[in-house]
Amino acid sequence: MQDENNDHLNEEINEEFGNQETITKVTGMYKDWFLDYASYVILERAVPGIKDGFKPVQRRILHSMKDLDDGRYNKVANIVGHTMQYHPHGDASIADAMVQIGQKELLIDMQGNWGNILTGDRAAASRYIEARLTKFALDVVFNPKTTAWQSSYDGRRKEPVDLPVKFPMLLAQGAEGIAVGLSTKILPHNFNELIDASIKHLKGKSFTLIPDFLTGGIADVSNYNDGKRGGKIRVRAKISQLDKKTLVINEIPFGTTTSSLIESILKANEKGTIKIKQIEDNTAANVEILVHLPPGISPDKTIDALFAFTSCENPISPLCCVIDDNKPVFIGVSEILRLSTDLTVELLKQELEIQLNELEEQWHFASLERIFIENRIYRDIEEEETWAGVIKAIDEGLKPHIKHLKRAITEEDIVRLTEIRIKKISKFDIDKAKQFIESLEEKIAEVKNYLANLIDFAIDYFKNLKTKYGKGKERKTEIRLFDDIVATKVVMRNTKLYVNREEGFVGTSLKRDEYIDDCSDIDDVIVFRKDGVMLITKVDAKTFVGKDIIHIAVFKKNDKRTVYNMIYRDGKSGPNYMKRFNVTGVTRDKEYDLTAGNKGSVVLYFSANPNGEAETVTIYLRSVGSVKKLKWDIDFSDLAIKGRSSKGNIVSKYTIKRIELKSEGVSTLKPRKIWFDETVQRLNVDGRGELLGEFKPEDRLLIINQKGIVKTVKPELTTHFDADMIVLEKWIPEKPISTIYFDGDKEKYFIKRFMIDNPNKEELFITEHPKSQLEIVSTDYRPMAEVVFSKRNIEPIEVNFEDFIAVKGIKAMGNQLTTDKIKQVNMLLPLPYEPSVIEEVEVNDEEVIVTNSRAFDDKDSKTEEDGQITLF
């Protein structure tokens, strides 16, 4: 109605001003044009079809390559030009699309420089590179007999509506596209796993699909959500420790290149979130990026920092959108595989039916030909003068012999008989003709059997594809669950924290004031004041936190091992309390009162103990009135660790003169239980995986790998472990390590037992010859083993390591075991051993690293009457 009023108003304006022109509203046009354009981009450019898994440009490229296919390579420029007969866009878009197909290494056999998905290098110009279809593409993508055709954009040629692809091509290649108001991101999957899933579907079994990338790397697909909208996966580079000062990146995450990865590492280094000395790119056929570390930088912590602050970890959000019946639909990858597999079965059925029809036609004509020649019906036409007479004569001559035929004879059949040459008739061999017809009958029976058992035929088809093309297409991306990396724990401390206790300022810009610790710009700071108030705030250049600061440190969230010991006076003249507590998490910039909350409360003693240490202090009272006991000792270990809001235990109701530290304390925490989660290859204290034992601060882990390298490390939760690790356990220094190994130089087997002399050194305990290899290793006190030889005439032997050789140094070669080739070594039950029992002191159940304590004496007070105490 409003539009009509506007149109009427426009007419009145035109009449008033005598304007000859008319005003046309284009709102409707824009609506139509936008929808038309959006539909075109979605259907014809950006989103793949569900039937064959191709976008239109990809479909046209492959169709053109089939047109040109003669088994030899064609210049890509020539293929691009040929494709332009079908594709309405320019050569650049066609060439780029063709390179993308080629780099997926499935459908196009490439020759020349096609670029590098690892380094991001572009392909050479299309006039310099060549291509042809792979054998796999010729087998599964094309069949003109089962292809539906349509006119090309200019009506001059025919192009396929969909290619008859008999394979889940969309899931194998993946697809990514941005349309108007719509996008799609389908991740690539493993070739062999797709075939296995198709076979499971045909057998009625369940299956699971997870992505696989040509760039390799490690992926956490626990939240893949079948590739649907809302899912998310995390991919990481494969990083290992070359030595104590060098990390090596051998595989990169999907969606990155070596260039972009190195750039992200350099940016993180500039920001100070990680610290590296040098980065070196040795990538050729395989990725090799060397990250050199400065002295004193932890390799394990740097690996975590690379995941947290660089492109070494990359989140990917899949969005599975495809075109089905000229409409975009959102479905999961499992449903795509089911539809693709069912379509493959239907296409195989069509091909078998076409083949059956062709075979039956061959059998029909071969039978007619035999009847025609064997019964000399061709003589019946010798006296016929008209064509109609000839046809009738042959027809009449055939009638007595055609009862076994499967269909009626047509005029076309008779015409074909008249076309048989005299030469063929004269040399006709009845036995050969009979054999040919029998062979056709066998083939017909075989095809009918396939049709009757279509699912089994389809399963065999997929198995044949795997056998023929599956070699070399094994999974490249390792699947693993990732642990969450806390950025504040792995960030490089790239700046320094200072404090002005009197004025109450903390920050990184107070360089003339007291230095506290190294920190980063994402850290938090915990502050304790003399009035008993605690505050946590973010690191900044300069922040006011209140005067009379007694303790400040970089805050570690969820830290249960740091314990604070405190003695305070309640109010101006109230009793004195002591308490022990930890701080695991608070609201930032909120002040927490750690005292009983009465005005005038003051902290008399404070210490921060990273491992739950409990010191002993001496309390001195003022000699006032009838107070008899003026001095005594208090051991904080007698006090339980409670929450920060607890009031504490009373020390004395009288005025405390001063508090002195009598002796440093030891940790009151139980040895920490540590588990190893094999799924994520990480240590944890959460009970996940295999329990390694209870660890005190001085305890270490024993690690042995398949290369014959042994080392001990402190059980830090950030420790990374190599994939070839074969022993991981709590290290017991007095426990010997026993091994059997093959020496590559002497070509003999040796046995040795040794202790670790230097816990801080990584050492090789087999010989350095490249052919030397570890057979077996044991950490039992008295191990036994069965040695099985390769020669059948040599009986297996049992080896008692303890009797065979004494414990020697790690560099000792050991004693020769045998010169015969060993097939395998089996560990047997060890001999009994009773280690000495060590009684342990009972300690606190709470979990927990330099003790920082402050005691405040009343002699530092302004006056005794006001009860106020000032810091030094």
Side-chain angles (χ1 to χ4, degrees), residues 104-122:
K104 290 168 183 175
E105 301 178 0
L106 198 59
L107 298 175
I108 297 179
D109 184 2
M110 301 170 287
Q111 186 164 275
N113 177 17
W114 279 68
N116 192 324
I117 59 172
L118 300 177
T119 63
D121 294 337
R122 291 181 60 83

Side-chain angles (χ1 to χ4, degrees), residues 605-634:
Y605 178 88
F606 185 89
S607 68
N609 307 280
N611 271 316
E613 293 86 354
E615 64 270 27
T616 300
V617 297
T618 303
I619 306 293
Y620 295 90
L621 298 183
R622 285 193 179 278
S623 180
V624 177
S626 59
V627 180
K628 294 180 180 179
K629 190 175 182 181
L630 300 177
K631 172 188 173 184
W632 71 95
D633 295 339
I634 290 180

Side-chain angles (χ1 to χ4, degrees), residues 29-211:
M29 285 186 175
Y30 280 129
K31 286 181 180 177
D32 293 341
W33 291 346
F34 177 80
L35 288 174
D36 290 345
Y37 177 67
S39 299
Y40 169 73
V41 174
I42 292 170
L43 299 175
E44 296 295 329
R45 295 182 67 176
V47 184
I50 193 170
K51 289 188 176 180
D52 59 6
F54 296 126
K55 297 178 184 180
V57 64
Q58 296 171 331
R59 190 177 298 120
R60 289 160 182 156
I61 289 170
L62 293 171
H63 174 60
S64 294
M65 292 186 72
K66 187 66 171 68
D67 276 351
L68 297 171
D69 182 58
D70 58 0
R72 298 183 297 174
Y73 288 99
N74 283 289
K75 288 283 187 183
V76 169
N78 186 27
I79 297 171
V80 170
H82 192 274
T83 306
M84 290 181 71
Q85 297 178 94
Y86 305 101
H87 196 62
H89 297 286
D91 56 342
S93 63
I94 298 172
D96 289 343
M98 189 170 177
V99 168
Q100 288 179 19
I101 299 172
Q103 287 179 342
K104 290 168 183 175
E105 301 178 0
L106 198 59
L107 298 175
I108 297 179
D109 184 2
M110 301 170 287
Q111 186 164 275
N113 177 17
W114 279 68
N116 192 324
I117 59 172
L118 300 177
T119 63
D121 294 337
R122 291 181 60 83
S126 56
R127 60 184 178 275
Y128 298 122
I129 56 179
E130 296 178 326
R132 65 182 176 188
L133 291 168
T134 61
K135 292 181 180 178
F136 171 75
L138 292 169
D139 276 357
V140 305
V141 176
F142 307 100
N143 189 339
K145 296 175 182 177
T146 57
T147 302
W149 302 90
Q150 64 183 0
S151 298
S152 61
Y153 74 98
D154 60 1
R156 286 188 173 95
R157 292 181 175 271
K158 295 290 183 182
E159 64 175 349
V161 177
D162 292 298
L163 288 169
V165 178
K166 301 185 291 296
F167 181 79
M169 194 69 67
L170 178 57
L171 299 180
Q173 293 195 122
E176 189 170 354
I178 300 174
V180 180
L182 187 69
S183 64
T184 186
K185 192 177 187 72
I186 302 170
L187 302 181
H189 297 72
N190 182 264
F191 182 90
N192 292 322
E193 290 174 9
L194 288 173
I195 291 177
D196 292 340
S198 292
I199 292 172
K200 286 182 179 179
H201 169 61
L202 291 173
K203 290 181 177 180
K205 298 180 181 179
S206 60
F207 60 88
T208 302
L209 294 176
I210 52 178

